[in-house]
Amino acid sequence: MARLSYQGVDKVFSGDAVAMRDVTLEVEDGEFMVFVGPSGSGKSTFLRVMAGLESPTGGRVLVDGVDVTEAEPQERDLAMVFQAYALYPHKTVRENLEFGLRMRGMARSRRDERVTRIARTLDIADLLDRKPGQLSGGQRQRVALGRALVREPKAFLLDEPLSNLDPALRLHARTELARLHRSLAATFLYVTHDQEEAMTLGDRVAVLRDGRVQQVGPPMELYRRPVTRFVGSFIGSPAMNLYRCRVVRSAGVRLEGPGFGVEIGEAAPPGLADQVWLGIRPHDLTRVDTRPADFVGRVELVEPRGSDLLVQLRLDDESEATLAVVLPPQPEVETGDEIAVRVSRDRLHYFDPEDDTRIE
Ligand code: ADP
Ligand code: MG
């Protein structure tokens, strides 16, 4: 078990690519921490620096309070699982699993005992004599995980380990991982570009952009209170609607965006300048019959999602602004219908147009 710390870590590659910028973060013992962000945001580098596969250009990395910045990977006792998990093709599953233990000179009886136990946990016990070529993608995935597990490391570092699996299997593997984390009570550092995966797996989620941690917190906190416009747009599906609005003060306060105007009156946050980014989640909008409504638009697209409908409303022809709304499956909605929706004022998100930070 391990507590992992980044203290003011920078990583600049030759050629000036900045993969980590002044990263300070504590991962608690036994915590499932997810790094999520778009491609190139630094996710893999965060893990590789912790694993010792890259050395930081500044700052320190600690395991259980011990500075390991200069330590070799094998001294850190952390197991890393990559997206492209390379199993030895000519070795059986058993040989793949025990290879690391053999290299460490562990006695055969202990090795067998561990391999058997881990194989049972991962439900691959009856595959031990097969070669990787005789396994499905999901089974190979589990063997790769098993190879990390048999080492009983202090922590697991996983870099997009599920992204090679087909969607159904990915869902299953996700459940397995969560279960495994609970039963092992080990520290997990997990990288994904998939915000849904991040939300469902993480005790906490760190949202990365351009090598910086934009926000770190429990999944629902990121969803309810994104501290930047980027986090607001990245976390949550379907994505948050965002509009740059003019703040008009007359009798009350009114936000004017493309094809709409929303009175916010009392709900106006202090410190609002004359421009603001307005964010509204598609789930926070409700259809209304009475006018005036907050938004009125013509239905451009209806995506039935089983339990609900995802509807795109065209708000304004000139700017082609649209609003995504999640509506119940009844009453039916058809392309071309005119629909009015409202949003509760306490569900509005405001971001500063200067620096994209949240305005409370
Ligand atoms: P992610 O895993 O989020 O896609 P990476 O950590 O792989 O992001 O990369 C972060 C940034 O660092 C990118 O701009 C990438 O091009 C750069 N980078 C990563 N590895 C290297 C490397 N070995 N040499 C030079 N630049 C790199
Ligand atoms: Mg990566």
Side-chain angles (χ1 to χ4, degrees), residues 182-236:
R182 276 197 304 277
S183 68
L184 295 172
T187 312
F188 278 60
L189 259 189
Y190 187 97
V191 160
T192 177
H193 62 272
D194 179 345
Q195 65 87 28
E196 188 185 310
E197 199 168 289
M199 297 286 276
T200 50
L201 280 174
D203 292 323
R204 283 193 302 158
V205 175
V207 181
L208 273 48
R209 187 191 197 188
D210 294 339
R212 251 188 248 284
V213 178
Q214 290 238 328
Q215 185 170 6
V216 55
M220 285 314 287
E221 189 178 303
L222 302 191
Y223 183 82
R224 293 203 185 103
R225 213 187 139 271
V227 299
T228 65
R229 178 160 66 98
F230 175 75
V231 174
S233 65
F234 195 78
I235 297 290

Side-chain angles (χ1 to χ4, degrees), residues 38-45 48 83 159-160 191 193:
S39 176
S41 56
K43 305 181 295 295
S44 295
T45 307
R48 294 173 60 82
Q83 174 178 359
D159 193 351
E160 313 223 15
V191 160
H193 62 272

Side-chain angles (χ1 to χ4, degrees), residues 12-329:
V12 184
F13 287 102
S14 55
D16 279 1
V18 183
M20 297 181 77
R21 294 173 203 257
D22 195 19
V23 173
T24 294
L25 187 69
E26 283 282 316
V27 183
E28 298 303 326
D29 186 17
E31 189 172 30
F32 200 124
M33 169 70 81
V34 179
F35 294 143
V36 69
S39 176
S41 56
K43 305 181 295 295
S44 295
T45 307
F46 274 56
L47 281 202
R48 294 173 60 82
V49 161
M50 184 53 74
L53 302 172
E54 302 282 357
S55 20
T57 38
R60 306 196 305 160
V61 180
L62 292 83
V63 175
D64 283 330
V66 178
D67 188 335
V68 295
T69 315
E70 303 297 327
E72 294 296 319
Q74 54 276 19
E75 297 171 54
R76 303 188 187 197
D77 201 13
L78 311 171
M80 187 145 172
V81 180
F82 298 96
Q83 174 178 359
Y85 35 89
L87 300 175
Y88 300 106
H90 302 299
K91 293 187 196 295
T92 63
V93 169
R94 177 187 299 281
E95 288 162 348
N96 265 283
L97 290 176
E98 67 178 11
F99 185 70
L101 304 182
R102 218 188 249 268
M103 295 306 283
R104 275 198 254 161
M106 184 183 283
R108 165 143 202 192
S109 58
R110 273 189 71 202
R111 241 164 43 206
D112 281 352
E113 183 264 322
R114 256 203 216 177
V115 167
T116 307
R117 184 162 43 82
I118 295 298
R120 246 190 245 128
T121 312
L122 292 172
D123 201 16
I124 48 174
D126 46 356
L127 306 176
L128 287 172
D129 296 324
R130 294 205 200 164
K131 302 260 174 72
Q134 300 167 298
L135 303 176
S136 72
Q139 290 167 335
R140 276 202 287 266
Q141 168 64 43
R142 275 181 272 164
V143 176
L145 261 177
R147 210 167 44 172
L149 290 172
V150 289
R151 290 179 42 196
E152 299 187 354
K154 285 189 173 160
F156 296 93
L157 315 181
L158 301 112
D159 193 351
E160 313 223 15
L162 308 185
S163 55
N164 285 337
L165 305 183
D166 64 62
L169 200 54
R170 193 151 67 216
L171 212 62
H172 177 69
R174 203 196 282 174
T175 319
E176 289 285 303
L177 258 179
R179 197 172 53 82
L180 204 61
H181 172 249
R182 276 197 304 277
S183 68
L184 295 172
T187 312
F188 278 60
L189 259 189
Y190 187 97
V191 160
T192 177
H193 62 272
D194 179 345
Q195 65 87 28
E196 188 185 310
E197 199 168 289
M199 297 286 276
T200 50
L201 280 174
D203 292 323
R204 283 193 302 158
V205 175
V207 181
L208 273 48
R209 187 191 197 188
D210 294 339
R212 251 188 248 284
V213 178
Q214 290 238 328
Q215 185 170 6
V216 55
M220 285 314 287
E221 189 178 303
L222 302 191
Y223 183 82
R224 293 203 185 103
R225 213 187 139 271
V227 299
T228 65
R229 178 160 66 98
F230 175 75
V231 174
S233 65
F234 195 78
I235 297 290
S237 171
M240 180 184 273
N241 297 289
L242 281 157
Y243 308 98
R244 194 167 170 135
C245 295
R246 227 155 51 87
V247 180
V248 181
R249 293 184 174 80
S250 49
V253 181
R254 182 180 164 81
L255 303 181
E256 290 187 349
F260 70 87
V262 176
E263 299 286 349
I264 54 170
E266 303 284 286
L272 214 54
D274 42 357
Q275 295 272 329
V276 71
W277 280 100
L278 174 65
I280 304 157
R281 296 208 180 273
H283 282 99
D284 288 337
L285 290 152
T286 25
R287 189 172 176 178
V288 289
D289 295 325
T290 53
R291 311 289 166 87
D294 293 329
F295 300 89
V296 180
R298 208 161 281 288
V299 174
E300 217 170 43
L301 189 69
V302 183
E303 282 180 50
R305 307 196 307 167
S307 55
D308 55 33
L309 305 173
L310 173 56
V311 176
Q312 298 290 344
L313 297 183
R314 168 71 69 103
L315 295 178
D316 183 37
D317 283 330
E318 192 188 325
S319 64
E320 300 189 353
T322 58
L323 177 75
V325 187
V326 172
L327 294 178

